[in-house]
Structure formats: structure tokens, C-alpha cells
Amino acid sequence: MSRIVTALLFAGALLLTGASPAFAQQSVSGVVTDATTGDPLPGVNIVVQGTTTGTVTNLDGEYGLTVPGPEAVLVFSYVGYTTFETVVGPRTELDVALAEDAALIDEIVVVGYGSQRRGDVTSSVATVDVDDANVGSVTNADDLIQGRVAGVQVTPNNGEPGGGASIKIRGGTSIAASNEPLYVIDGVPIDNNSSAPGGLEAGGAGAAPDRNPLNLLNPNDIESISVLKDASATAIYGSRGANGVVLITTKDGVQGRVSVDYEGRTSVASAANTVELLSGNEYRNFVNEQITAGNLPASAADNLGDDNTDFLDAILRSAVSQQHNISFASGTATSQYRASVSYLNQEGIITSSGLERITARLNADTQMLDGRVRLGLNLTTALTEDDYVFYEGTGGFEGGLLTNVFDFNPTRPLRTEDGDFFETGSNSVRNPLGLAEEIADDGRTTRTLGNAYLEIDLIDGLTGRVSLGGDRSTGRRAIYFPLSNPVGEASGGGLAAQRDLQRSTINFFGTLNYTNTFAERNNISLLGGYEFNEFDNESIGIQSQGFVTDETSSYVIGSGSIVSGSSFDQTGTFSFREKNRLISFFSRANYNYDEKYYLSASVRYDGSSRFGADNKWALFPAFSAAWRVSNEVFMDNVDFISDLRLRGGFGIVGNQEIPNTLSLAILEPNSDFRAILGDEIQTGFALRQLANPDLRWEEKQEFTIGLDYGFIDERIVGSIEFYRNDTEDLLLEITVPQPAPVATFVDNVGSVRNTGLDLALDYYAIEKADMNLQLGLVFNTNVNEILDLGGQDQIFTGSVSGRGQSGQQALLLTPGEPFPVFFGPEFLRVNEAGDQVFNDYDADGNLIGETTEPDAGDRQIIGDPRPDFSYGFRAQFDYKQFGISAFIRGEQGRELFNNTALVFGNKSALPNTNVIASALDTPDAINEEARFSSRWIEDASFIRLDNITLEYRPDIARYAPFVRNTRVFLSVDNVFTITPYDGFDPEVNTNAQIGLIPATGIDYTNYPVARTFTLGVNLGF
């Protein structure tokens, strides 16, 4: 329509002026560049639509052309890029940025110790579109992966800024060892352990869980993310590849003029969901009603005040955050560099919590001797300052910040008339706002990661590479409980601690890589290498109490009384240092014939100091194959199939992510063993742990078969994969026959199996010059089963928190069932007397009168914290200068133990503490105590609109030629969640493990998850 109107107006103007069309011609010129890099594109074809008039760009991407008039339509086309059409209009200068056509480019995929064309990969490797994922309030690399890779489950521990997450690739492959993947940044494997020191426990509560190990990395510096999912892909990493590998590559410099990119984001966040507690009026009315009914003594009214305080609302806030990123990139034909600086200031939605981070990064590379020698440097450093709140996911009757929010009497004021925090006088219930604002808990972490490499083309096809990398972090945490705070007061007048933690890793590897094509259709690639890793950790902590003033805080810690402690559990005053080494030899061979038939094999030989003297070395082989069916002659006439590959692989990998000293005999001071030396009594030592010289790796064997497909000229692309993996020689704690100096020791016993299906699909629904629509879907399902526990029938974990729950465990490990399952009494109903009734599972009649608490024989499997399946759906629609994207995630069949509801969802807590408002709707008697059962196992299935983003890309370059590109966007994270779960959020993971056995699927007073609105701008110069 616009063209018709333009033509009519043009014709009318000609009639009015009597002008001839020949005199209406106009000249137009400009520059054509790459939309991603900004580099000029030489040889671009430019044609006036419907004519033979045209030209091509020169070496600098410049062109000039005479067109019939403003109604002319120019068509820009270039091999490997999408065709672009535009009406000239009144413009005489017209610059165009062409986007790469993903369907025409054979994508390069990063794999272990190298890269391959996507079409040559025979194992299970998934990639993340970083530009597509980096929207909204993304603060670390985990956010880029969540819900975007089939078979990868990312579960945040909580909503705290900088908080960690549990990441599992194709299910949990271990029980006692780590299930987290190996992260490799620019070729350097990093230490997954938190660089921030642990918090101080006081009165049964401690600080927040570990921080995210990827907090050091600015997401805007990330170029690509590859996820190696199956053993045939990860076996090249041997003993560290059992849980998958995440390869992160950062952005390099560019050839050409200096380019400057800036991105700024401002965000406002608030709690996406809250739990409704009794208001002061509801609390008073209920207590008075129970007194009148004779269910509570008259003295219960003594605890009632006249206020109506919402203590949850008091600690929550609208959190304002800002993020600024600026990068500089340039280079010549032989040398390029990129430098960036980023600043993030993220407030938490709980007052006095937040994170501040500064990162700086430099990537540089150069070539010499006609490009045969290449040198490179990748370096990043990050300074992170954490403002913690006195929060934890587990605890006894005293608990942490959120526990006291639920506990505190809402009829009491937040502050006294003097402005001080109102306290009950009981150390078991503390003013939550006072805990947040009075307790000083600050952490500072500095982490530097980098590597330098030298690459030489020795002869045609043979390249040698050596790389030296390091990962160094130092963390300090200072904590102080003032004299006025109940925690500090209970400690004899103030409580302080300082803790330092240092971690360092040295990584060296050297490789030889040979590639060649012979007899025209035979292509080979051979890799051989050696790698050395050394890990060094040390920590020191000091704790003191009994201060006379708050003025010195934790900085003059010696003015109090030093608290003794133990290095084994890192409490009180302690210090320790430990080191371990990993030495490896590896090789890989890839072969393909005529790009139809592919074979790949790898082997790694690892030696680790962590394992027993008799089992320090192990071999990890893998092989895979693929058949590109679409390249066969019989597929020539099947036009709708553009790509079809069948592949399969098998591999064996290990898991060495265990404590350093599990194979060694360990002594510790023991007061039961004393001796008189001279005139003094000396404390002796006793065995804490038996030596196990036979301790060896956990070993995972995995088989995968997959189908990659592309239909309708790659408009529809994706993959389907089926896998099964068995983990054997699990590291478990077993009972030692007595009498013996210790009760248990760790040995290789047991096995676990995972079976599943991964599906990925991308559909380029619309591809036009001014309009595009892309849809994407990932789906996965995983079935987990414990095959053997080394002769043990049951192992329990998952401590239940709250009053009266000491000694309770919520999770069971048993052969024939998933790892783990919820195990406890089956709740049936509440009878007329207000008592809970449970299933007499063992039919022993112990539920006499339906009021007796069930015995051990009445416990049974009552739920599964693992989802039946999970999925992610994304959509991107662009029309001219506007765009809108949406991302949806979900899990189905997942169950959670709502430990918060167990403790605060029944009336028995009244009138001493508050309860969840829904507790008043239950028929339970007021004296009916909370009991762990299936009643508190809830369906936590959910579907979440994770992000929606609106963007506008104005053509500012028309008026300001120095501006390369502009983008303004408005984004909303965690828009809404549909779930039957009654807690803050269905995606949480409280750390409630017992011993070496982790727990999953437990929610207890977790830090709430935020809904975040972000306004941002991208500018390129």
C-alpha cells in the first residue's frame, strides 16, 4: 500500500510540474556492513527491483547508484547473508547492515580441545544462542542455559543475588560425589567450588548457601556456549566428564576500525509471590476465640499486642539494580584485541541484601611468519562484594531471617517508641528486620582467570598448541552480631567472625592436531595431548564473642574471647590447607568419507592424587559414528529433506569431584585419649577416618543414539536423542563391622541408571526482508533408578527442619527406585477430634484410636522430586525496526516437600508464633502437632513465562553516521508462573543433605524469587 501511495504522489507531482520522469532520477550511496561485527562487506549485489540497473560494493563496502526516483526499491544480496529490500524514499545516503543466514552457514561448534563443523559432530553437543538468551536481568552464564538445552536441568537454590544453582545434565549420575558439570572457559577448566567463604552459624542458623562459581563472568563477554552431554563427547575430559561439560568461549577482537559497544540496563524487582501470614487482627481474633472455647489458657492473651504488623512486607522491598557494559574491539589482518569493563549493582528484594560486581576482560591474539605462528591471551578478573542477610534454608527452633518472619507475633510492633527494634525477650524468636539491618555480614571476592597460548603450524596440516592457564580467587567475609541483637546478646555480648578462603588452579596442556584430505573424499583429524592440573585450597577463620562495645565491629576481633573450633567442620577458630593434582594423556581421531560416513574415537588416561594408592590411574575410552543419509544418491529427489543424519556413540567417563582426603587415614584430637607428659596433661589423637588404598573413580558408561534433521531448506531443524547411562562404583559411606575405631568409611559400592529422551526443534516460520518469525522448542524426559547400594537396603537423607522435627529425614535411597524419593507416613485425613490419621501401612494396629503417631513400619514412598518431563519454548518476531520475543519454561510431575507449610501451616504453633493464614482453614485441633507426612508433599509442576522482551532498533545512523547500531528494549523476567504449589516458588533447592548424601526437592523458608522489569539500551559506534 505504501508503494502505491508513493507512486501516486510521485505521478501527481510530475503532472503538476510538467516534469519528465528522466529529470526525477536521484543518486543514492552508502556502506554495506555485517550486522554482527560491523565490518564492511565487499562484493554485495545491489539491484533496483524490477530492472537490470545495479552495482556491487567495493572493498570498503561502499556503493553508489542512480535510481529512477524515491519509489525505487533496492535489493541487497550477498552469499551467506539474508536478502534485504528497502524503498529509497527521499534519502541520498542509505547504509545497510546485512544479517548472516543461519541456514546457509555451516556452524562451527566448540568441542573438547578444539572445534568442528556442526555437520561433522558425531556425539551429543548442544549450543546456546547467546544473543537470543541474553535478555532481561541476566547476571551469569547459568541464566543463559536455563531451559534452552534439552536434557539440562537448572534449579536455582533460591532468589538471592549471586546465589548458586543445581545443574544436572541428563539426570544425577552420582549419589555422594558432585553432580555438577565441568565448566571450561576459553580452554581453562575452572573450580566449581564457591570462592566465597562460608557464613557464621549461631543459635542454629547460618548464612546463605554457596555462591555461583560463574559470578566472575560478564554474560556480555560470552561469544558461545556448547554443552557436551553424552560420554562420547565428554570422554576427552576423562575423570571430570561424568556430569557433562559446559564450554564457554568469550568474544575476540575484530579486524577493521575501532568499534565501541555500550549496553546499559536498569531494573526494578519485587517478590513475584509471597506467602500470606495471619494479620494482627486475625491472630488476635483466633487466640481470643480459642481462649473462649477453652482450648487455650487465659494467659495466652498476655502475648497479644495492639499492632497489626506485616513482618514479611517489612523485610521486602522494590529492589533497583543497574548494569553497565562497555567494550572496545579492533585489529589488523594479523592482530586483534577486545577489552571490556562491566559494572553490576544488584539489590536483593530482601532489605540489606545485594551484590556489587566489577569485571574486566582482555582478549588479544596476533599472527607472525605469514600466519604460521599465533599467540593469544585471554584474561578476566572480577571483584564481587556480597551483602548477605542472616538467611538459611535449614535450621532448628531458632532459625534464620525468613524463619523469624514466619515466627514473629503480628500483634507486636516493628519498632518501639524509641525507634529501637521490638524484641520479644526470647532468643528463639528475633525481630526479622533487626536481623537484616543490625547484623553486618559482608563478603569480598576477587577472582582472576586467564590463559596464554602459542599455536604453530609445524607442517602442512600439523599444528602444535601449548596453553598455560590459571584460576586464582581470594575471598574474605566479615560478620558481626551487635550487643543489642538477641543473637549477639545470647553470645555473651556481641559475636564476630572473619574468614578467609583462597583457591588456585594451574592448568597446562599441549596438543598436536593433524588434519588432511586424501584420495579426494577421505578426511581425517588426529589429536594428541598432555594436561596437568594442580588445585590448592587454604582457609583460615577466627571467631570471638563477649565484646564491650559495638564500635570495633569485627575489625578488632581480639578484643573479645576467642572461640575454639575445628578445621574439619570449619567452625570457631580454624585453619587448613589441601592440594591435589590431576595428570592426563589424551587423544582423539575423527574420520569421514565424502561427508557421508563419520567415525570418531577418543581415549584419556587420568591420574589423580585424590584416590587410593592402588587406583590412582584409569582409562576412559569413547567412540561414535554417524551416517548422513541426506547425502546419499537415493535422497537426491527428496526435496523437502535438506539434512538427515543418524548417529550413535558409547563412552566411559569418571567422576573425581570428591573431598581430597577420602582415601587417607585421618587423625583428630580426642579428649578420651590423654597422657601426662612432664607435669601437664596432653590430649591425644584418634582415628577419624580409615584409609582406603583401593578407593577409585566412579565410572559412568553411556550409550546415545540420535537423529539430526533439516527440512524445507533448513526452515525446520532439530534433533532427537535417546540415551542410557549406568554409573558404577559409587562412592558411598558404609558401616564398618564393630569393634573398630570408626563406625563408617567410604568405599566403591552401588550403581545408578539414567534413561531419557532429548528433543530440540527450531522453525524459521517467516524469513522476509522486513519480517521474521523464529520458534524453538526443547523437551526432555529422564528416568532415574538406583540399581544397587552395595548390599544396603536403605540410605536416608534430607533433614526435616522445624520445631519437633529433630532426627527426621524426608528422602530415601533404595534399590529399584529413583534417587531419591520422599519417604514417610501416608496422610489420610483429619478425624472429628482434630487428629491427623495416617495409613497403617504395616497393619500392625499401632494407630490405636487413630491418634497415635505412626511407627517406622508405616513409612512408605510418598513422592518423587524429579519431573516426569521438562520443556522450554521460545519465539522471536521481528517486523522492520521492531521485535518481540518470549520464553516459556515448564516442568511436569515434579513434587516438593513444603517444609515451610509443615512447620507454619498448622495451629499448634499458636499462640507463641505466627502461622500461614490457610492453617485456620484446616480441621486440625490446636494441640495437634506438626508431623512429617505425605500431607506436605505437593505437586510442584509449573509453566512459567520466563521472559518477554520488546525492542526497537531506530535507524540513528541516518542522522549520526558514527553510530553503528542502536537498540532500546523493555524486558520482564518471571512474568507469571502457573503452579499448584503453595510456597514462594516451585523452583527451589534447600541444602538439607546429611553427611555426603545430598538432598533435593525440599523447600524451607527460602529467599523469594523476584519479578524483574528491565529497561535497556545497546549502542554501537
Side-chain angles (χ1 to χ4, degrees), residues 1-13 69-72 87-90:
M1 180 64 72
S2 61
R3 294 181 185 175
I4 296 174
V5 173
T6 301
L8 290 174
L9 291 174
F10 182 65
E71 81 284 4
V87 178
V88 174

Side-chain angles (χ1 to χ4, degrees), residues 592-604:
N592 81 72
Y593 174 75
D594 199 23
E595 297 189 350
K596 291 182 184 178
Y597 314 110
Y598 297 82
L599 293 173
S600 179
S602 68
V603 63
R604 183 166 177 132

Side-chain angles (χ1 to χ4, degrees), residues 262-282:
Y262 167 79
E263 181 189 77
R265 306 185 188 194
T266 299
S267 303
V268 179
S270 58
N273 185 39
T274 59
V275 175
E276 185 181 356
L277 302 172
L278 289 183
S279 67
N281 291 333
E282 292 170 330

